[in-house]
Amino acid sequence: MATIATTKGTVIIGSDHGGFDLKIQIVEHLKTIGYQVHDVGCHQPERCDYPDIAALAGKATLDSSNTLQRGIVVCGSGIGISIAANKVPGVRCALLHDHYGAVMCRKHNNANMIALGGRTTGVEIAKEIVDAFLSTEFEGGRHEGRVGKIMSIC
């Protein structure tokens, strides 16, 4: 009898050239721990523009067919791609540097995307951040109103 593989869901991921190497490491990690990955680009380390990748990743993260609705974006510093991702209506992207931030962006802000810096974040720290982001749930309660206020800002 064939075994049917189960998945924890699909994580959207994207990077520019500055985040390409870290993105490849994160993709392998995600697959190892049971996630499917939808990589919106870039698919080679040649120069590309992070706003284009952030828009693709943000829209794919929010797509109603994506039940997990979590995304990861990476550029050289994580700054530019996080700013661009947050321009996509419905995205709450947190630029992260550590485990604590990964937990808190989920618990208190219901972040649906994270940004990392390919030139500033080591692979093992990035894996720890990704794991915390994907395993932490939104607390709701007193935080729901604040997230609602964030989402109402035009």
Side-chain angles (χ1 to χ4, degrees):
M1 179 180 287
T3 303
I4 299 173
T6 59
T7 180
K8 296 178 180 180
T10 300
V11 176
I12 307 303
I13 194 163
S15 74
D16 72 353
H17 55 285
F20 181 79
D21 291 338
L22 182 59
K23 179 187 73 168
I24 297 303
Q25 296 292 319
I26 293 169
V27 166
E28 290 307 313
H29 176 66
L30 289 168
K31 290 178 180 178
T32 299
I33 61 173
Y35 289 92
Q36 291 182 334
V37 178
H38 176 66
D39 185 347
V40 299
C42 64
H43 301 291
Q44 49 194 343
E46 279 75 35
R47 185 193 171 283
C48 65
D49 295 331
Y50 60 81
D52 299 332
I53 300 300
L56 291 170
K59 290 172 186 173
T61 297
L62 297 175
D63 188 300
S64 62
S65 67
N66 175 9
T67 57
L68 186 58
Q69 294 196 325
R70 302 272 177 92
I72 301 166
V73 288
V74 190
C75 70
S77 67
I79 298 168
I81 206 161
S82 68
I83 292 169
N86 278 312
K87 298 295 281 182
V88 176
V91 166
R92 290 175 306 282
C93 183
L95 171 57
L96 298 177
H97 302 285
D98 56 34
H99 178 269
Y100 178 77
V103 170
M104 296 311 290
C105 80
R106 286 292 306 138
K107 282 186 172 185
H108 290 192
N109 310 115
N110 200 15
N112 49 17
M113 292 185 76
I114 60 170
L116 301 169
R119 297 178 182 135
T120 62
T121 308
V123 172
E124 294 308 313
I125 295 295
K127 290 177 185 178
E128 184 179 318
I129 290 168
V130 166
D131 291 351
F133 171 67
L134 294 173
S135 65
T136 303
E137 294 301 322
F138 178 51
E139 285 183 352
R142 65 189 170 105
H143 305 291
E144 287 180 25
R146 294 175 185 146
V147 172
K149 287 181 178 186
I150 290 170
M151 299 313 298
S152 71
I153 298 171
C154 298

